[in-house]
């Protein structure tokens, strides 16, 4: 602060006070203007759900709904969008397809052999939409009808897995009801919406539910899971599929504890494994070490007791144990805690 002589005229003091106030307001406005872009940038870069479409494309964006209505056999549920972890959607069946399937189902149980064979071919071509109808026949008292339906179910499911353009990054739901996984429990039912409005970086899209394979809401780091891996999960033959979907670019953290014991050698090993004994090992990783990979065809990596890295690719997290020497079995388990996000 500074002082002015008392002899200074009053109108000069008044003008000086206005000037100082204006300068202060201008400075505050500049500071606020600088702060806003940072806040906007943070909001724009916040992790968003990923929509996996049946044509193989992926869209990242925010769905325009506060809750999701799910019709179950016990009633209709309203699931808050903030509780959603993952959606997997069963293929939709139009009214025309439904009528056609029902007609072929009747032919499949008919008395004429040629008609039954023709119905098999027709249902085979109809594919996924026919699964709910065939599943009901799988418990039929008619042995031939039951066997034919089971054969078709197996063929159609195999085709669905082969046709999934997202591979195991997001496994397709094979028949049945929609699968809704929340932070608290899993729900099976029918999502009643026919389309979603999704706000992406480049504009707002209207996506039909029939075109959606599934939605992963966990890109913000919602995964918090604990699994047990034991000596039966020896790689490369017996990887354990955790069924946890890891999005590309997300930070993956894994902490493991516990031990495996080889009685013949009186050896106890933790998740970091042991290098005490010589011999060729899987990918040159230590014997009995905890290892992982992302996706069925992902590159294996050493986890040990502590692991933290950014996922280079997306897919299902697979875990396993590097075998000890041939013909020597280990007992025990590793407790593995998995989390994602910063």
């Amino acid at each position: 602060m500074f002082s002015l002589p008392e002899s200074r005229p009053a109108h000069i003091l008044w003008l000086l006070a206005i000037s100082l106030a204006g300068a202060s307001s201008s400075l505050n406005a500049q500071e606020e203007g600088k702060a806003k872009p940072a806040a906007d940038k943070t909001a724009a870069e916040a992790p968003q759900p990923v929509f996996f479409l049946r044509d193989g494309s992926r869209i990242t964006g925010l769905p325009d709904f506060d809750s999701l209505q799910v019709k179950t056999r016990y009633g209709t549920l309203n699931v808050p969008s903030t509780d959603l972890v993952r959606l997997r959607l069963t293929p939709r069946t139009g009214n025309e397809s439904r009528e056609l399937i029902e007609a072929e189902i009747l032919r499949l149980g008919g008395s004429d052999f040629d008609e039954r064979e023709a119905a098999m071919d027709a249902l085979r071509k109809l594919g996924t939409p026919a699964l709910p109808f065939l599943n009901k026949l799988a418990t039929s008292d008619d042995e031939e009808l039951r066997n034919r339906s089971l054969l078709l179910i197996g063929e159609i499911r195999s085709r669905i897995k082969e046709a999934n353009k997202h591979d195991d990054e997001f496994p397709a739901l094979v028949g049945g009801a929609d699968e809704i996984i929340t932070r608290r429990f899993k729900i099976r039912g029918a999502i009643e919406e026919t389309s979603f409005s999704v706000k992406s970086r480049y504009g707002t899209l209207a996506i039909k539910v029939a075109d959606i394979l599934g939605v992963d809401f966990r890109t913000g780091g919602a995964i918090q899971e604990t699994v047990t891996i034991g000596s039966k999960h020896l790689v490369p033959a017996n990887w354990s599929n955790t069924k946890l979907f890891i999005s590309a670019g997300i930070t993956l953290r894994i902490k493991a504890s516990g031990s495996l014991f080889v009685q013949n050698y009186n050896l106890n090993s933790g998740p970091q494994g042991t290098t005490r004994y010589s011999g060729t090992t899987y990918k040159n990783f230590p014997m009995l070490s905890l290892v992982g990979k992302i996706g069925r065809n992902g590159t294996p990596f050493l986890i040990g007791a502590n692991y933290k890295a950014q996922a280079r690719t997306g897919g299902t997290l697979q875990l396993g144990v590097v075998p000890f020497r041939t013909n020597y079995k280990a007992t025990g388990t590793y407790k593995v805690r998995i989390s994602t996000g910063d």
Side-chain angles (χ1 to χ4, degrees), residues 115-264:
E115 286 291 301
R116 295 198 299 273
E117 286 292 297
M120 285 278 288
D121 291 337
L123 290 167
R124 192 177 283 116
K125 291 176 182 177
L126 286 165
T128 306
L131 280 175
F133 301 87
L134 293 170
N135 286 332
K136 293 178 181 179
L137 296 180
T139 56
S140 172
D141 293 333
D142 186 318
E143 184 178 1
E144 182 181 347
L145 189 58
R146 184 173 65 250
N147 290 338
R148 283 180 179 272
S149 62
L150 289 172
L151 178 61
L152 285 169
I153 289 170
E155 290 180 6
I156 294 171
R157 285 183 172 178
S158 295
R159 288 213 316 269
I160 291 172
K161 291 179 180 179
E162 292 173 2
N164 181 11
K165 297 181 180 179
H166 295 287
D167 196 26
D168 68 337
E169 182 179 4
F170 204 99
L173 186 63
V174 183
D178 297 326
E179 178 185 85
I180 300 91
I181 296 182
T182 73
R183 298 180 189 277
R184 293 173 175 80
F185 48 79
K186 181 192 294 185
I187 304 167
R188 296 303 295 268
I191 293 175
E192 299 194 321
E193 282 78 359
T194 57
S195 66
F196 291 138
S197 176
V198 180
K199 186 177 181 181
S200 73
R201 183 173 184 176
Y202 304 111
T204 301
L205 304 171
I207 305 176
K208 293 181 180 179
V209 171
D211 295 333
I212 301 174
L213 182 72
V215 187
D216 189 352
F217 291 84
R218 295 187 292 190
T219 53
I223 295 178
Q224 295 284 341
E225 297 285 346
T226 300
V227 298
T228 300
I229 301 298
S231 56
K232 66 179 180 180
H233 302 121
L234 298 180
V235 298
N238 296 307
W239 286 95
S240 174
N241 186 345
T242 65
K243 298 183 179 179
L244 297 175
F245 301 95
I246 307 300
S247 300
I250 202 167
T251 300
L252 174 63
R253 286 185 175 84
I254 302 175
K255 291 187 177 182
S257 59
S259 64
L260 295 179
F261 178 67
V262 182
Q263 185 174 5
N264 303 68

